Amino acid sequence: MNDFIAARSQMALSLGFHIVFSCIGMVMPFFMAVSHFIWLRTGNVMYKNVTRAWSKGVAIFFATGAVSGTVLSFELGLLWPEFMKHAGPIFGMPFSLEGTAFFIEAIALGFYLYGWDRFNKWFHWGTGVLVGVSGLVSGILVVAANAWMNSPAGFDYINGQYLNIHPIQAMFNDAWFSQALHMCIAAFAATGFAVAGVHALMILRGSHVQFHGKAFRIAAVFACVAALLQPLSGDISAKDVGRRQPAKLAAMEAHFKTEKRAPLIIGGIPDEKNKTVHFAIEIPGMLSFMAHDDFNAEVTGLDQIKPEDHPPVAVTHYAFQVMVGLGMLMLAISLLYFIAVWKKKQWLQKQWLLKLFVLATPAGFLAVEAGWTVTEVGRQPWIINGIMRTADAVTPMPGIVYSFYLFTAVYLSLAVIVTFMLYRQIRMVGKLYDLPAMPVPSSH
C-alpha cells in the first residue's frame, strides 16, 4: 500500500465511522423529543422512561461523534494540504457555521441532560428539540461542503489561480440541496430502522415489552416515513448527478456506451476491459427516463469520458446496487408496517413483523455507507470535480500507511467500546426504571 492509497483509506475509514455517529446524533434527539412531548401531554410515565433512556444514548453518540468529527477536520489539513490551501478560503464558511451549530447543540444537550426537574417543563423539552435542530443543521452544512467538491462554485479558476471568491455561492452550490435532502432522509431511515430493530428484538425476547413497544412505535414511524420518501430524493439526486457528473452516473450504472433509450442495469458484473456487464437485468429506456425524464433521451457513457478521468466502475456500481437494494428492502417493510397500522392491525401483534425490523436493523447504515462510497469513489480521480485531482492534493509526508494502521486500531477500539456501552445501557433499562416484564407477541 503506497502513501496515496493509505491517505485515501484513512479518510474513508474515518468518514465511514463518523457518518454512523453523526446520523444518530442528527436523528435520535427528534425521537427523544417526540417521546418527551407525549409524556408531557399524556402523563404516561413510560414515555418519560423511554425519553430518559434515549437521552443517554444521545449523549454517548454525541461524545463519539464529536471526537470522530474533530479527527476528520484535522485529517483534511494533514492528509490533503494542497486541497485545503486552495479550497479552505472558498468552502470554509459551511465548516465555520457548522462549528457554531455544534456549540449550540452541545449547550442545549447539557441543559437537557441536567435540566430534569430543574427547568420549566416546556423549556426543558425545547432544549431537546434544539439539540435535534442544531444537529440537523450541522449535518446539512457539512454536506454542503462535500457537495461543493462535487459541484465547485463561488470562484473563478483562471490560469491555475482561484480568484473572485464568493463563499455564499460556494456554500449554496448546485449540488447542496439534492445531497443534503438525500442525506437527511437517509439518516432518519438508517437511525429509525436501527433503533426500531433493537427494540423489536427486545420485544421478541420478552424483555419489558411495554417499554420497548412504545419506543419501537416511535422509531418505526420515523423510519418508515423516511424510507417511503427516500426514492423521491434519490430521483432528484440521480437527475442532478446525470446533469453535472456524467462520469459518475455512467460508473454507477456501468454504462459504457453513449446511447439513446439507455437501459437501467440491475445487478451484473462490470467488465471494464470488454466494456460490458455480465449477468445484469436490463430495463430498456429506464436510465434515460431517470436521468432526463425522457425514455428516448441520450445518456452519456464512459466512451465519451477520457480514460484517465474514469471513476472506478466496479466499486461505484456495486456500492450503488447495494444502496438501492437495501433501500427497496426498507421500502417494502415500510409499506407492510403502514398496511398493518391502517388496515391489518392484527399484524402489529405478530412476531414476523418484528422479525422483519430486526432483519433490517443494519440495513439503513449499510445503505448510507454504500451511498457515501458512490459519492466519493464516483468523483474520482477528482478531489474538486474537474479542477483538482486527488493525487495532486495528497500530502508529501511519508509513512502515511502507519498512520492508517494506527487509526484503524483506534476506530475499531472505539466501535467496541460504544457497542459495549449501548449493550450495557439496553440491558440496564429494567433495573434503571423498575419496569415489569410483559407477554411476548403472538408468532401466528
Side-chain angles (χ1 to χ4, degrees):
M1 182 185 294
N2 60 37
D3 286 336
F4 175 58
I5 297 299
R8 286 185 61 188
S9 299
Q10 182 173 325
M11 201 72 192
L13 176 75
S14 301
L15 181 59
F17 271 88
H18 177 67
I19 199 169
V20 174
F21 302 140
S22 60
C23 283
I24 298 174
M26 288 165 58
V27 173
M28 276 294 293
F30 290 103
F31 296 3
M32 179 181 76
V34 168
S35 178
H36 194 166
F37 179 81
I38 296 173
W39 170 59
L40 291 176
R41 296 293 293 178
T42 66
N44 187 334
V45 72
M46 195 63 70
Y47 285 104
K48 179 182 180 181
N49 294 338
V50 170
T51 303
R52 300 199 70 162
W54 276 347
S55 68
K56 296 179 187 299
V58 169
I60 292 171
F61 281 106
F62 177 84
T64 51
V67 171
S68 59
T70 302
V71 169
L72 271 172
S73 63
F74 280 115
E75 285 180 338
L76 280 172
L78 294 173
L79 299 178
W80 313 104
E82 193 66 21
F83 167 70
M84 291 303 295
K85 173 185 175 182
H86 298 289
I90 304 173
F91 82 146
M93 179 170 284
F95 277 127
S96 61
L97 294 176
E98 189 274 337
T100 302
F102 172 78
F103 284 127
I104 294 173
E105 182 183 6
I107 293 169
L109 181 61
F111 279 175
Y112 190 80
L113 292 176
Y114 297 102
W116 289 97
D117 303 321
R118 291 181 173 87
F119 296 137
N120 172 276
K121 63 180 183 179
W122 289 109
F123 175 81
H124 183 224
W125 174 78
T127 62
V129 174
L130 185 58
V131 173
V133 172
S134 55
L136 193 63
V137 170
S138 179
I140 290 172
L141 289 167
V142 171
V143 172
N146 179 269
W148 178 85
M149 299 164 68
N150 291 313
S151 181
F155 66 98
D156 294 323
Y157 187 64
I158 303 172
N159 297 324
Q161 299 293 315
Y162 299 78
L163 306 174
N164 302 322
I165 294 171
H166 299 280
I168 297 296
Q169 292 180 14
M171 183 166 65
F172 296 109
N173 56 78
D174 290 343
W176 85 270
F177 176 75
S178 61
Q179 278 197 215
L181 178 66
H182 199 57
M183 183 66 236
C184 289
I185 295 175
F188 274 94
T191 305
F193 272 100
V195 173
V198 169
H199 289 293
L201 179 62
M202 301 308 291
I203 294 170
L204 289 170
R205 290 181 174 178
S207 175
H208 312 296
V209 173
Q210 186 179 0
F211 172 91
H212 290 291
K214 295 186 183 311
F216 168 80
R217 282 191 288 276
I218 294 172
V221 169
F222 272 102
C224 294
V225 170
L228 292 175
L229 293 175
Q230 191 66 306
L232 301 177
S233 72
D235 180 67
I236 294 172
S237 295
K239 288 178 171 58
D240 181 62
V241 169
R243 185 181 71 256
R244 293 181 302 94
Q245 296 177 282
K248 178 184 285 188
L249 180 66
M252 288 161 56
E253 290 292 338
H255 184 60
F256 291 101
K257 182 182 178 181
T258 301
E259 59 183 321
K260 296 182 178 179
R261 197 169 174 76
L264 177 69
I265 294 177
I266 301 175
I269 301 174
D271 183 347
E272 296 184 58
K273 181 179 179 180
N274 296 309
K275 311 300 181 186
T276 188
V277 183
H278 302 293
F279 313 114
I281 299 172
E282 296 188 4
I283 304 177
M286 186 56 70
L287 180 58
S288 293
F289 178 77
M290 292 178 66
H292 303 294
D293 285 330
D294 182 354
F295 285 101
N296 295 307
E298 182 176 88
V299 178
T300 302
L302 289 168
D303 59 344
Q304 296 295 311
I305 310 294
K306 293 187 293 184
E308 61 268 27
D309 293 341
H310 285 192
V313 176
V315 173
T316 307
H317 178 69
Y318 293 142
F320 182 67
Q321 296 295 309
V322 168
M323 180 187 70
V324 173
L326 291 172
M328 291 299 101
L329 171 66
M330 291 184 286
L331 176 64
I333 294 174
S334 300
L335 290 172
L336 286 173
Y337 181 74
F338 283 126
I339 290 172
V341 170
W342 291 326
K343 297 291 185 180
K344 301 283 187 179
K345 294 191 181 294
Q346 65 272 22
W347 289 1
L348 298 174
Q349 305 301 319
K350 305 301 182 183
Q351 289 191 13
W352 63 264
L353 185 61
L354 294 172
K355 288 178 180 178
L356 286 176
F357 277 92
V358 174
L359 175 68
T361 299
F365 284 114
L366 292 175
V368 166
E369 298 287 3
W372 272 100
T373 299
V374 172
T375 299
E376 298 302 300
V377 176
R379 189 180 60 243
Q380 301 306 313
W382 305 100
I383 192 168
I384 306 176
N385 188 48
I387 303 292
M388 179 184 287
R389 292 181 180 272
T390 309
D392 296 332
V394 72
T395 177
M397 183 179 69
I400 298 299
V401 64
Y402 300 109
S403 173
F404 169 62
Y405 294 146
L406 175 62
F407 273 78
T408 301
V410 169
Y411 275 113
L412 289 176
S413 301
L414 184 62
V416 171
I417 292 170
V418 171
T419 302
F420 170 76
M421 292 176 67
L422 291 174
Y423 175 77
R424 181 173 177 270
Q425 178 66 25
I426 293 169
R427 289 293 301 271
M428 290 180 63
V429 162
K431 295 179 181 179
L432 288 172
Y433 304 114
D434 193 27
L435 302 176
M438 298 289 287
V440 184
S442 169
S443 60
H444 302 291

